[in-house]
Amino acid sequence: MAYLIVNGPNLNALGRRDPTQYGTLTLAQIQDRIQGRAAEWGVEVAFFQSNHEGALIDYLQQRGPAAEGIVINPGAFTHYSIALRDALTDLQTPIVEVHLSNIHAREEFRRKSVTAEAARGIISGLGWHGYVLALEHLVLLNKKGLT
Ligand code: DQA
């Protein structure tokens, strides 16, 4: 049983993408920080990134049902992938959607998330820290049954 940390397209390129939106850390560095917190909290995390919609859906179908929680940054799929939204909606597992940038402070097309309705909540604009906060929420939810 693990918490899944799932990243969509172009997030493998963090560190080279616009630092004013996405910060300077690479995905590997962000994952190290998440791993550090997970170890402190005594929970297991599994990381997955893909640039491909189908690969993300396959992973969620395979690993999602037995996961303790899912933190997902769907990247640009956020704004238009009904298929990814359906895959998330089909899961009973608690989900938090994370965006490094504040999608509500950017172009109009980024302000709509079609995937967010499958999530308990969204964290947007807090950079890499958003992933840690999302994981903390899911861990507390499972341990203490937050209502
Ligand atoms: C993003 C925001 C999306 O609009 C964009 O396409 C991304 C990253 C974020 O983390 O801020 O690739 O999900």
Side-chain angles (χ1 to χ4, degrees):
M1 288 277 275
Y3 291 86
L4 310 182
I5 315 293
V6 180
N7 279 282
N10 297 306
L11 293 160
N12 58 316
L14 289 176
R16 299 195 301 277
R17 298 185 76 186
D18 179 359
T20 63
Q21 295 294 350
Y22 303 122
T24 55
L25 297 187
T26 64
L27 184 58
Q29 288 169 329
I30 292 173
Q31 289 177 346
D32 278 353
R33 292 185 185 203
I34 298 168
Q35 182 67 69
R37 292 303 180 88
E40 280 172 27
W41 295 329
V43 301
E44 203 179 309
V45 282
F47 298 107
F48 183 74
Q49 187 278 330
S50 179
N51 293 327
H52 305 278
E53 188 180 32
L56 291 163
I57 293 167
D58 286 346
Y59 182 80
L60 289 167
Q61 285 183 358
Q62 282 157 20
R63 298 285 308 267
E68 289 183 280
I70 299 170
V71 176
I72 185 164
N73 182 347
F77 289 146
T78 304
H79 313 298
Y80 68 92
S81 176
I82 305 299
L84 185 57
R85 172 209 174 103
D86 285 350
L88 292 167
T89 305
D90 284 348
L91 296 169
Q92 304 302 313
T93 313
I95 298 164
V96 178
E97 180 170 307
V98 169
H99 299 285
L100 292 151
S101 64
N102 179 353
I103 59 173
H104 297 288
R106 301 185 64 190
E107 302 97 320
E108 188 67 39
F109 68 86
R110 292 189 203 274
R111 294 183 190 172
K112 170 77 183 164
S113 169
V114 300
T115 47
E117 284 173 64
R120 286 177 59 80
I122 315 171
I123 298 173
S124 183
L126 303 185
W128 66 268
H129 196 222
Y131 290 94
V132 170
L133 293 172
L135 179 61
E136 181 180 17
H137 172 77
L138 292 171
V139 171
L140 288 177
L141 179 72
N142 287 333
K143 284 195 177 154
K144 297 188 181 159
L146 292 176
T147 54

